Amino acid sequence: MSKKIQLAILVANKERADLAIDDLWRTARSAVPPEVQLSGMAVHVAMPAGTVRSGDAFLDLELLALPDEGPLLRLVGQLAARGGAPGVLGRLIQHNLLSHRVARALAKNKKLTEDFCAADMVVSADPLADWALWSLRRKTSAPLIHGPFAMANALTEMARK
């Protein structure tokens, strides 16, 4: 009987999520031997319909709808567009608010949270997804990984055990 590994991927950056998902999935497939049955779920933030598709039957795609941005995030966005020190500060605050927004959206979606916690490994594809995954640290025993290289190493080790 072959070993089974369930992988969960979170992509929070809206730009070219399809490329990020394809890259992570290809890296995951190449990190495990052929006798290991790898299945996965990739979750991406709300994007225009039909922009992300899975070319693999073992990879399910899910959508994570983010709440509308409030007036504070719009104000910080204006500050982030400025140059110099105020712009740097604005971009840092903007990143913090956006990553917490993704974490709150994942926490509110009980089904996706349960699916992430049931996975053997959870991977964040970008820095905006890191806080959402970090919020799962006490809910799952699965390793929480950031990026393709750490994922490939962890999957190779997991497949050996």
Side-chain angles (χ1 to χ4, degrees):
M1 175 143 198
S2 66
K3 183 173 181 145
K4 295 180 181 181
I5 296 176
Q6 173 69 27
L7 181 67
I9 300 169
L10 179 60
V11 180
N13 191 345
K14 293 183 181 185
E15 295 184 23
R16 298 312 313 238
D18 54 341
L19 291 178
I21 291 168
D22 285 344
D23 181 52
L24 283 167
W25 186 246
R26 264 187 268 114
T27 302
R29 290 294 317 145
S30 66
V32 296
E35 63 270 8
V36 174
Q37 183 181 351
L38 183 66
S39 60
M41 170 187 70
V43 176
H44 60 88
V45 297
M47 288 184 274
T51 57
V52 177
R53 293 184 187 89
S54 171
D56 194 319
F58 294 104
L59 180 65
D60 297 325
L61 293 178
E62 299 284 339
L63 180 70
L64 178 64
L66 293 180
D68 292 333
E69 57 182 52
L72 178 61
L73 196 54
R74 284 191 291 274
L75 179 67
V76 170
Q78 292 172 351
L79 181 63
R82 296 179 60 189
V88 171
L89 180 63
R91 287 186 290 281
L92 288 171
I93 294 170
Q94 184 180 40
H95 179 274
N96 193 18
L97 291 173
L98 288 172
S99 60
H100 279 79
R101 192 169 151 219
V102 172
R104 279 192 309 275
L106 181 61
K108 286 182 182 178
N109 191 325
K110 299 298 182 200
K111 181 196 175 303
L112 285 181
T113 300
E114 289 171 6
D115 290 345
F116 271 97
C117 291
D120 296 315
M121 181 179 297
V122 184
V123 181
S124 70
D126 52 70
L128 289 178
D130 286 345
W131 189 256
L133 260 58
W134 183 248
S135 68
L136 298 175
R137 71 189 179 280
R138 293 195 177 119
K139 297 177 184 175
T140 182
S141 61
L144 306 176
I145 307 290
H146 174 83
F149 299 114
M151 176 193 67
N153 290 333
L155 278 172
T156 301
E157 288 299 315
M158 190 177 281
R160 284 186 194 149
K161 293 180 182 179

